[in-house]
PDB file of all heavy atoms in Angstrom:
ATOM      1  N   ALA Z  25      99.387 100.055  86.800  1.00 95.00           N
ATOM      2  CA  ALA Z  25     100.017  98.715  87.014  1.00 95.00           C
ATOM      3  C   ALA Z  25      99.634  98.384  88.510  1.00 95.00           C
ATOM      4  O   ALA Z  25      99.415  97.115  88.615  1.00 95.00           O
ATOM      5  CB  ALA Z  25     101.510  98.865  87.009  1.00 95.00           C
ATOM      6  N   ILE Z  27      96.792  98.847  89.886  1.00 95.00           N
ATOM      7  CA  ILE Z  27      95.439  98.490  89.842  1.00 95.00           C
ATOM      8  C   ILE Z  27      95.313  97.046  89.299  1.00 95.00           C
ATOM      9  O   ILE Z  27      94.681  96.100  89.692  1.00 95.00           O
ATOM     10  CB  ILE Z  27      94.534  99.427  89.012  1.00 95.00           C
ATOM     11  CG1 ILE Z  27      94.333 100.672  89.779  1.00 95.00           C
ATOM     12  CG2 ILE Z  27      93.192  98.656  88.550  1.00 95.00           C
ATOM     13  CD1 ILE Z  27      93.673 101.750  89.000  1.00 95.00           C
ATOM     14  N   PHE Z  28      96.122  96.807  88.163  1.00 94.00           N
ATOM     15  CA  PHE Z  28      96.211  95.435  87.553  1.00 94.00           C
ATOM     16  C   PHE Z  28      96.672  94.369  88.616  1.00 94.00           C
ATOM     17  O   PHE Z  28      96.242  93.210  88.753  1.00 94.00           O
ATOM     18  CB  PHE Z  28      97.211  95.454  86.339  1.00 94.00           C
ATOM     19  CG  PHE Z  28      96.520  95.925  85.138  1.00 94.00           C
ATOM     20  CD1 PHE Z  28      97.099  96.639  84.234  1.00 94.00           C
ATOM     21  CD2 PHE Z  28      95.056  95.846  84.884  1.00 94.00           C
ATOM     22  CE1 PHE Z  28      96.594  97.246  83.042  1.00 94.00           C
ATOM     23  CE2 PHE Z  28      94.408  96.288  83.681  1.00 94.00           C
ATOM     24  CZ  PHE Z  28      95.217  97.021  82.867  1.00 94.00           C
ATOM     25  N   ALA Z  29      97.858  94.800  89.359  1.00 92.00           N
ATOM     26  CA  ALA Z  29      98.420  93.795  90.287  1.00 92.00           C
ATOM     27  C   ALA Z  29      97.314  93.607  91.513  1.00 92.00           C
ATOM     28  O   ALA Z  29      97.330  92.575  91.934  1.00 92.00           O
ATOM     29  CB  ALA Z  29      99.667  94.473  90.909  1.00 92.00           C
ATOM     30  N   ALA Z  30      96.520  94.598  91.932  1.00 93.00           N
ATOM     31  CA  ALA Z  30      95.605  94.452  92.901  1.00 93.00           C
ATOM     32  C   ALA Z  30      94.516  93.515  92.550  1.00 93.00           C
ATOM     33  O   ALA Z  30      93.960  92.727  93.372  1.00 93.00           O
ATOM     34  CB  ALA Z  30      95.164  95.803  93.377  1.00 93.00           C
ATOM     35  N   LEU Z  31      94.203  93.547  91.347  1.00 92.00           N
ATOM     36  CA  LEU Z  31      93.074  92.553  90.799  1.00 92.00           C
ATOM     37  C   LEU Z  31      93.507  91.250  90.642  1.00 92.00           C
ATOM     38  O   LEU Z  31      92.698  90.294  90.530  1.00 92.00           O
ATOM     39  CB  LEU Z  31      92.559  93.170  89.533  1.00 92.00           C
ATOM     40  CG  LEU Z  31      91.753  94.526  89.526  1.00 92.00           C
ATOM     41  CD1 LEU Z  31      91.425  94.933  88.266  1.00 92.00           C
ATOM     42  CD2 LEU Z  31      90.471  94.362  90.369  1.00 92.00           C
ATOM     43  N   LEU Z  32      94.841  90.940  90.529  1.00 90.00           N
ATOM     44  CA  LEU Z  32      95.373  89.589  90.232  1.00 90.00           C
ATOM     45  C   LEU Z  32      95.008  88.525  91.270  1.00 90.00           C
ATOM     46  O   LEU Z  32      94.575  87.407  90.795  1.00 90.00           O
ATOM     47  CB  LEU Z  32      96.888  89.775  90.036  1.00 90.00           C
ATOM     48  CG  LEU Z  32      97.624  88.585  89.494  1.00 90.00           C
ATOM     49  CD1 LEU Z  32      97.060  88.209  88.027  1.00 90.00           C
ATOM     50  CD2 LEU Z  32      99.191  88.923  89.304  1.00 90.00           C
ATOM     51  N   PRO Z  33      95.109  88.841  92.501  1.00 91.00           N
ATOM     52  CA  PRO Z  33      94.929  87.695  93.572  1.00 91.00           C
ATOM     53  C   PRO Z  33      93.449  87.151  93.445  1.00 91.00           C
ATOM     54  O   PRO Z  33      93.259  85.979  93.715  1.00 91.00           O
ATOM     55  CB  PRO Z  33      95.209  88.342  94.839  1.00 91.00           C
ATOM     56  CG  PRO Z  33      96.245  89.384  94.663  1.00 91.00           C
ATOM     57  CD  PRO Z  33      95.610  89.909  93.202  1.00 91.00           C
ATOM     58  N   GLY Z  34      92.604  87.935  93.160  1.00 87.00           N
ATOM     59  CA  GLY Z  34      91.168  87.581  93.206  1.00 87.00           C
ATOM     60  C   GLY Z  34      90.604  86.833  91.942  1.00 87.00           C
ATOM     61  O   GLY Z  34      89.548  86.426  91.806  1.00 87.00           O
ATOM     62  N   GLU Z  35      91.475  86.748  90.896  1.00 87.00           N
ATOM     63  CA  GLU Z  35      91.093  86.248  89.622  1.00 87.00           C
ATOM     64  C   GLU Z  35      91.504  84.743  89.470  1.00 87.00           C
ATOM     65  O   GLU Z  35      92.589  84.279  89.693  1.00 87.00           O
ATOM     66  CB  GLU Z  35      91.770  86.986  88.566  1.00 87.00           C
ATOM     67  CG  GLU Z  35      91.426  86.719  87.030  1.00 87.00           C
ATOM     68  CD  GLU Z  35      89.891  86.865  86.916  1.00 87.00           C
ATOM     69  OE1 GLU Z  35      89.335  88.059  87.157  1.00 87.00           O
ATOM     70  OE2 GLU Z  35      89.077  85.938  86.612  1.00 87.00           O
ATOM     71  N   ALA Z  36      90.387  83.949  89.108  1.00 89.00           N
ATOM     72  CA  ALA Z  36      90.569  82.558  89.094  1.00 89.00           C
ATOM     73  C   ALA Z  36      90.868  81.990  87.634  1.00 89.00           C
ATOM     74  O   ALA Z  36      91.513  81.097  87.344  1.00 89.00           O
ATOM     75  CB  ALA Z  36      89.341  81.737  89.594  1.00 89.00           C
ATOM     76  N   ASP Z  37      90.400  82.819  86.666  1.00 92.00           N
ATOM     77  CA  ASP Z  37      90.549  82.392  85.237  1.00 92.00           C
ATOM     78  C   ASP Z  37      91.922  82.632  84.714  1.00 92.00           C
ATOM     79  O   ASP Z  37      92.341  83.740  84.829  1.00 92.00           O
ATOM     80  CB  ASP Z  37      89.573  83.064  84.366  1.00 92.00           C
ATOM     81  CG  ASP Z  37      89.456  82.752  82.896  1.00 92.00           C
ATOM     82  OD1 ASP Z  37      89.885  81.536  82.622  1.00 92.00           O
ATOM     83  OD2 ASP Z  37      89.269  83.533  81.941  1.00 92.00           O
ATOM     84  N   PRO Z  38      92.612  81.631  84.272  1.00 90.00           N
ATOM     85  CA  PRO Z  38      93.982  81.792  83.679  1.00 90.00           C
ATOM     86  C   PRO Z  38      94.115  82.830  82.693  1.00 90.00           C
ATOM     87  O   PRO Z  38      95.102  83.443  82.567  1.00 90.00           O
ATOM     88  CB  PRO Z  38      94.431  80.380  83.299  1.00 90.00           C
ATOM     89  CG  PRO Z  38      93.363  79.491  83.841  1.00 90.00           C
ATOM     90  CD  PRO Z  38      92.181  80.222  84.174  1.00 90.00           C
ATOM     91  N   GLY Z  39      93.122  82.890  81.781  1.00 91.00           N
ATOM     92  CA  GLY Z  39      93.146  83.843  80.706  1.00 91.00           C
ATOM     93  C   GLY Z  39      93.202  85.333  81.105  1.00 91.00           C
ATOM     94  O   GLY Z  39      93.959  86.211  80.762  1.00 91.00           O
ATOM     95  N   ASN Z  40      92.304  85.545  82.199  1.00 91.00           N
ATOM     96  CA  ASN Z  40      92.343  86.884  82.764  1.00 91.00           C
ATOM     97  C   ASN Z  40      93.481  87.173  83.568  1.00 91.00           C
ATOM     98  O   ASN Z  40      93.928  88.323  83.637  1.00 91.00           O
ATOM     99  CB  ASN Z  40      91.034  86.973  83.765  1.00 91.00           C
ATOM    100  CG  ASN Z  40      89.761  86.999  82.925  1.00 91.00           C
ATOM    101  OD1 ASN Z  40      89.745  87.239  81.656  1.00 91.00           O
ATOM    102  ND2 ASN Z  40      88.651  86.799  83.566  1.00 91.00           N
ATOM    103  N   ARG Z  41      93.993  86.172  84.193  1.00 93.00           N
ATOM    104  CA  ARG Z  41      95.346  86.395  84.941  1.00 93.00           C
ATOM    105  C   ARG Z  41      96.354  86.822  84.050  1.00 93.00           C
ATOM    106  O   ARG Z  41      97.232  87.750  84.432  1.00 93.00           O
ATOM    107  CB  ARG Z  41      95.767  85.266  85.845  1.00 93.00           C
ATOM    108  CG  ARG Z  41      94.831  84.924  86.997  1.00 93.00           C
ATOM    109  CD  ARG Z  41      95.177  83.619  87.763  1.00 93.00           C
ATOM    110  NE  ARG Z  41      96.515  83.823  88.477  1.00 93.00           N
ATOM    111  CZ  ARG Z  41      96.632  84.277  89.669  1.00 93.00           C
ATOM    112  NH1 ARG Z  41      95.592  84.793  90.308  1.00 93.00           N
ATOM    113  NH2 ARG Z  41      97.798  84.411  90.134  1.00 93.00           N
ATOM    114  N   ALA Z  42      96.600  86.075  82.965  1.00 94.00           N
ATOM    115  CA  ALA Z  42      97.502  86.438  82.028  1.00 94.00           C
ATOM    116  C   ALA Z  42      97.341  87.770  81.407  1.00 94.00           C
ATOM    117  O   ALA Z  42      98.354  88.504  81.209  1.00 94.00           O
ATOM    118  CB  ALA Z  42      97.435  85.480  80.859  1.00 94.00           C
ATOM    119  N   PHE Z  43      96.095  88.352  81.203  1.00 94.00           N
ATOM    120  CA  PHE Z  43      95.881  89.605  80.821  1.00 94.00           C
ATOM    121  C   PHE Z  43      96.233  90.642  81.861  1.00 94.00           C
ATOM    122  O   PHE Z  43      96.883  91.607  81.513  1.00 94.00           O
ATOM    123  CB  PHE Z  43      94.413  89.900  80.519  1.00 94.00           C
ATOM    124  CG  PHE Z  43      94.037  91.243  80.228  1.00 94.00           C
ATOM    125  CD1 PHE Z  43      94.252  91.908  79.165  1.00 94.00           C
ATOM    126  CD2 PHE Z  43      93.342  91.966  81.269  1.00 94.00           C
ATOM    127  CE1 PHE Z  43      93.865  93.292  78.942  1.00 94.00           C
ATOM    128  CE2 PHE Z  43      92.977  93.313  81.111  1.00 94.00           C
ATOM    129  CZ  PHE Z  43      93.343  93.938  79.941  1.00 94.00           C
ATOM    130  N   LEU Z  44      95.994  90.458  83.074  1.00 93.00           N
ATOM    131  CA  LEU Z  44      96.529  91.304  84.260  1.00 93.00           C
ATOM    132  C   LEU Z  44      97.981  91.353  84.339  1.00 93.00           C
ATOM    133  O   LEU Z  44      98.511  92.456  84.529  1.00 93.00           O
ATOM    134  CB  LEU Z  44      95.704  90.916  85.468  1.00 93.00           C
ATOM    135  CG  LEU Z  44      94.226  91.043  85.526  1.00 93.00           C
ATOM    136  CD1 LEU Z  44      93.659  90.317  86.819  1.00 93.00           C
ATOM    137  CD2 LEU Z  44      93.811  92.521  85.382  1.00 93.00           C
ATOM    138  N   VAL Z  45      98.634  90.194  84.274  1.00 94.00           N
ATOM    139  CA  VAL Z  45     100.024  90.227  84.335  1.00 94.00           C
ATOM    140  C   VAL Z  45     100.637  91.061  83.081  1.00 94.00           C
ATOM    141  O   VAL Z  45     101.545  91.864  83.248  1.00 94.00           O
ATOM    142  CB  VAL Z  45     100.670  88.775  84.328  1.00 94.00           C
ATOM    143  CG1 VAL Z  45     102.050  88.805  84.183  1.00 94.00           C
ATOM    144  CG2 VAL Z  45     100.187  88.146  85.767  1.00 94.00           C
ATOM    145  N   ALA Z  46     100.123  90.810  81.877  1.00 96.00           N
ATOM    146  CA  ALA Z  46     100.716  91.423  80.791  1.00 96.00           C
ATOM    147  C   ALA Z  46     100.391  92.994  80.936  1.00 96.00           C
ATOM    148  O   ALA Z  46     101.149  93.931  80.526  1.00 96.00           O
ATOM    149  CB  ALA Z  46     100.029  90.782  79.434  1.00 96.00           C
ATOM    150  N   GLY Z  47      99.177  93.265  81.384  1.00 95.00           N
ATOM    151  CA  GLY Z  47      98.851  94.732  81.433  1.00 95.00           C
ATOM    152  C   GLY Z  47      99.714  95.403  82.537  1.00 95.00           C
ATOM    153  O   GLY Z  47     100.092  96.578  82.285  1.00 95.00           O
ATOM    154  N   ALA Z  48      99.894  94.712  83.650  1.00 95.00           N
ATOM    155  CA  ALA Z  48     100.854  95.351  84.691  1.00 95.00           C
ATOM    156  C   ALA Z  48     102.308  95.495  84.129  1.00 95.00           C
ATOM    157  O   ALA Z  48     102.830  96.552  84.311  1.00 95.00           O
ATOM    158  CB  ALA Z  48     100.875  94.505  85.963  1.00 95.00           C
ATOM    159  N   CYS Z  49     102.704  94.491  83.414  1.00 96.00           N
ATOM    160  CA  CYS Z  49     104.091  94.624  82.777  1.00 96.00           C
ATOM    161  C   CYS Z  49     104.145  95.718  81.759  1.00 96.00           C
ATOM    162  O   CYS Z  49     105.170  96.461  81.710  1.00 96.00           O
ATOM    163  CB  CYS Z  49     104.510  93.326  82.212  1.00 96.00           C
ATOM    164  SG  CYS Z  49     104.908  92.085  83.403  1.00 96.00           S
ATOM    165  N   LEU Z  50     103.170  95.868  80.920  1.00 96.00           N
ATOM    166  CA  LEU Z  50     103.089  96.947  79.930  1.00 96.00           C
ATOM    167  C   LEU Z  50     103.031  98.271  80.647  1.00 96.00           C
ATOM    168  O   LEU Z  50     103.726  99.233  80.170  1.00 96.00           O
ATOM    169  CB  LEU Z  50     101.932  96.626  78.984  1.00 96.00           C
ATOM    170  CG  LEU Z  50     101.841  97.696  77.893  1.00 96.00           C
ATOM    171  CD1 LEU Z  50     102.992  97.641  76.856  1.00 96.00           C
ATOM    172  CD2 LEU Z  50     100.513  97.420  77.119  1.00 96.00           C
TER     173      LEU Z  50
END
Side-chain angles (χ1 to χ4, degrees):
I27 290 170
F28 282 145
L31 293 173
L32 192 58
E35 188 55 57
D37 183 30
N40 289 346
R41 287 180 68 84
F43 170 76
L44 291 173
V45 168
C49 290
L50 181 63

